[in-house]
């Protein structure tokens, strides 16, 4: 069912980074946690439980999906479930990126006006 | 520390623990292992972060579980259907099948003197009761798609009896003199009196979907209010054939068309197709009713003069009714159009200025 991605905006910073982390492909929880920390230059440093609360909400909203990995495919010690962006999640991420771009452009324009 | 974390996980709701407990533990273990490589300070930081984050997560998950349990209480897992499944279709179409099947059957049995008028009431009242119960179940479950025709059906009854009962007389007094002049637009306004309440309800639903998160899904899928309105068509057809004899073939055909439209609607994932299907099926069903009435009029035994004027008038009434329903379907479409225009102009403006 096509859903307007604009209705999910604006995204919170952790949500944005979680979705962004999954943009290249599926990841398990720990990889998301590390990636979000790196992507945000350590600004978003979530606890495990905070990550999974966010993941649960994103699953409810159908922005991400949970994938089961077979026992042979999963590395020892790593969670056996991984997460991937849904089509809707990808569209929401793209829409948020456009929104942020627009904001940055406006801000730059206004700041440039002030300098002149 | 890992054991302590395993113990703390018991604070989460049981179902959540069963679903995510292993993952939470595995991720925590990995975080701790990596921190240990970086030194004691990092270990302390990780532990503090987890201890600070955990209480909030525990509270949120308990609240979420309570919310879900409240929504599904008593009905879970009944009437949870996959979108586009046969079960969803059959449940959604009950108002169409029952109204379109039972009413002609009762008419026929009554005419053949097999059953009395009292029997009709005995059948119709439980049917309405069933609709109300299913609507309440749907409301408890957050109004899934199958429940929307029930909402439309019962709204149409309320619209007819409540709205026209409350506002009928003032509107009649307002338009009485103008009606005598046989102005077309006054006739159209007059014919719409039964459906003003219904259209207002659709308008309200669309408006609420724009301002309230509770009605968000009606904004996410703007065709849903159209499906609510579609659920009102069976009642409209039911009353349009009131006092007609021999309407059964037309009623059945119209209801088959409506059922077909709903089937395509529930199966399709394209917004345009879904809206178009509902609109076309509603139009066809109303047209079948209009033509049926014209063809049936000569055979009726009413105590009034039956002539060409009456046939034209009856045809016009049905087409006017279609017009009001068509207008109702345009409300979500217009809302969607204006919302899109607003959003796209916002984005293009911000991009264009740079």
């Amino acid at each position: 069912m096509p859903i307007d991605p604009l209705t999910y905006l604006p995204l919170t910073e952790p949500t944005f980074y979680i979705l962004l982390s999954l943009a290249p492909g599926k990841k398990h929880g720990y990889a998301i946690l590390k990636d979000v920390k790196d992507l945000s230059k350590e600004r978003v440093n979530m606890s495990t439980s905070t990550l999974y609360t966010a993941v649960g909400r994103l699953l409810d909203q159908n922005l991400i999906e949970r994938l089961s990995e077979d026992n042979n495919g999963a590395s020892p010690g790593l969670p056996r479930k991984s997460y991937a962006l849904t089509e809707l999640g990808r569209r929401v991420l793209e829409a948020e990126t456009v929104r942020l771009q627009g904001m940055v452009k406006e801000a730059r324009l206004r700041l440039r006006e002030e300098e002149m | 520390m890992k054991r302590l974390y395993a113990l703390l996980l018991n604070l989460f709701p049981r179902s959540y623990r069963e679903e995510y407990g292993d993952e939470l533990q595995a991720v925590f273990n990995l975080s701790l292992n990596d921190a240990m490589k970086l030194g004691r300070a990092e270990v302390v930081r990780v532990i503090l972060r987890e201890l600070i984050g955990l209480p909030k997560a525990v509270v949120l998950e308990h609240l979420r579980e309570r919310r879900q349990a409240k929504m599904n209480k008593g009905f879970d897992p009944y009437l949870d259907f996959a979108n586009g499944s046969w079960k969803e279709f059959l449940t959604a179409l009950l108002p169409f099948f029952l109204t379109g099947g039972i009413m002609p059957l009762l008419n026929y049995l009554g005419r053949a003197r097999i059953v009395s008028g009292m029997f009709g009431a005995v059948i119709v009242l439980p049917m309405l009761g069933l609709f109300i119960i299913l609507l309440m179940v749907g409301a408890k479950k957050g109004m899934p798609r199958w429940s929307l025709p029930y909402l439309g059906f019962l709204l149409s009854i309320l619209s007819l009896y409540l709205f026209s009962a409350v506002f009928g007389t003032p509107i009649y007094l307002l338009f009485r003199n103008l009606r005598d002049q046989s102005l077309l637009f006054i006739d159209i306004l007059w014919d719409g009196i039964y459906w003003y309440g219904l259209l207002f309800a659709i308008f309200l639903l669309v408006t609420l979907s724009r301002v309230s998160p509770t009605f968000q899904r009606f904004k996410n899928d703007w065709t849903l209010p159209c499906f609510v309105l579609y659920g009102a068509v069976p009642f409209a057809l039911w009353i349009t054939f009131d006092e007609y004899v021999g309407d059964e073939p037309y009623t059945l055909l119209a209801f088959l068309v409506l059922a077909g439209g709903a089937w395509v609607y529930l199966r399709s994932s394209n917004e345009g197709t879904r809206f178009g299907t509902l609109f076309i099926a509603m139009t066809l069903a109303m047209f079948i009713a209009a033509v049926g009435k014209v063809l049936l009029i000569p055979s009726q035994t009413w105590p009034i003069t039956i002539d060409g004027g009456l046939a034209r008038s009856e045809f016009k009434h049905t087409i006017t009714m279609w017009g009001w329903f068509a207008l109702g379907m345009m409300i979500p479409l217009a809302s969607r159009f204006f919302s899109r225009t607003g959003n796209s102009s916002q984005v293009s403006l911000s991009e264009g200025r740079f």
Side-chain angles (χ1 to χ4, degrees), chain B residues 259-290:
Chain B
W263 167 244
V264 176
Y265 174 83
L266 291 169
R267 301 278 292 182
S268 172
S269 58
N270 181 283
E271 282 179 353
T273 308
R274 288 212 305 275
F275 174 78
T277 306
L278 292 187
F279 192 85
I280 290 168
M282 185 272 291
T283 303
L284 267 176
M286 296 266 188
F287 187 71
I288 290 166

Side-chain angles (χ1 to χ4, degrees), chain B residues 85-126:
Chain B
S85 65
W86 271 103
K87 284 180 182 173
E88 186 196 36
F89 169 68
L90 291 174
T91 316
L93 269 284
L94 216 54
F96 298 84
F97 289 142
L98 284 182
T99 323
I102 283 189
M103 297 324 294
L105 183 68
L106 285 179
N107 283 350
Y108 176 77
L109 294 176
R111 231 182 21 257
R113 296 184 188 282
I114 296 171
V115 296
S116 68
M118 197 60 194
F119 183 77
V122 167
I123 294 289
V124 169
L125 287 177

Side-chain angles (χ1 to χ4, degrees), chain A residues 25-98:
Chain A
K26 63 177 184 177
K27 281 190 179 70
H28 55 73
Y30 187 57
I32 299 173
L33 205 63
K34 283 203 300 184
D35 205 24
V36 166
K37 191 176 165 187
D38 292 344
L39 283 168
S40 66
K41 309 283 187 289
E42 302 204 2
R43 240 187 4 264
V44 181
N45 199 354
M46 289 183 285
S47 70
T48 311
S49 48
T50 307
L51 170 74
Y52 275 89
T53 301
V55 161
R57 184 171 42 78
L58 293 173
L59 285 168
D60 287 347
Q61 292 177 323
N62 196 29
L63 298 184
I64 63 172
E65 58 187 335
R66 197 169 185 223
L67 308 168
S68 295
E69 293 195 351
D70 56 60
N71 291 347
N72 301 329
S75 308
L78 285 179
R80 286 186 180 157
K81 303 278 184 186
S82 59
Y83 298 88
L85 271 187
T86 59
E87 183 51 39
L88 175 63
R90 189 167 292 280
R91 286 195 291 134
V92 168
L93 183 60
E94 283 167 358
E96 177 68 347
T97 308
V98 169

Side-chain angles (χ1 to χ4, degrees), chain A residues 1-4 6-8 28-30 33-34 37 42 45-60 66 76-83 98 101-106 108-110 112, chain B residues 5 12 16 19-20 22-28 30-32 34-35 42 45 49-50 53-54 57-58 60-61 64 68 83 145 216 219-221 224 269-271 274 336 339-340 343 347 349-351 353-354:
Chain A
M1 187 188 304
I3 296 173
D4 187 354
L6 295 176
T7 57
Y8 291 86
H28 55 73
Y30 187 57
L33 205 63
K34 283 203 300 184
K37 191 176 165 187
E42 302 204 2
N45 199 354
M46 289 183 285
S47 70
T48 311
S49 48
T50 307
L51 170 74
Y52 275 89
T53 301
V55 161
R57 184 171 42 78
L58 293 173
L59 285 168
D60 287 347
R66 197 169 185 223
L78 285 179
R80 286 186 180 157
K81 303 278 184 186
S82 59
Y83 298 88
V98 169
Q101 270 175 344
M103 286 173 65
V104 170
K105 284 175 184 176
E106 290 291 348
R108 282 190 177 151
L109 187 68
R110 195 55 65 90
R112 215 178 289 157
Chain B
Y5 192 76
F12 282 105
Y16 183 81
E19 188 71 27
Y20 294 104
D22 289 346
E23 274 189 77
L24 282 159
Q25 185 71 56
V27 172
F28 176 75
L30 288 165
S31 299
L32 206 59
D34 277 2
E42 185 61 22
R45 203 177 299 160
R49 195 180 65 207
E50 294 297 337
L54 196 80
V58 167
L60 285 175
E61 291 309 331
R64 183 156 71 164
Q68 281 175 349
N83 276 0
R145 295 196 306 175
Q216 181 75 20
K219 185 182 173 189
N220 293 344
D221 182 356
L224 293 179
S269 58
N270 181 283
E271 282 179 353
R274 288 212 305 275
R336 177 62 169 174
S339 143
R340 271 221 170 126
N343 287 333
V347 172
L349 265 177
S350 60
E351 284 176 348
R353 279 183 200 160
F354 208 64

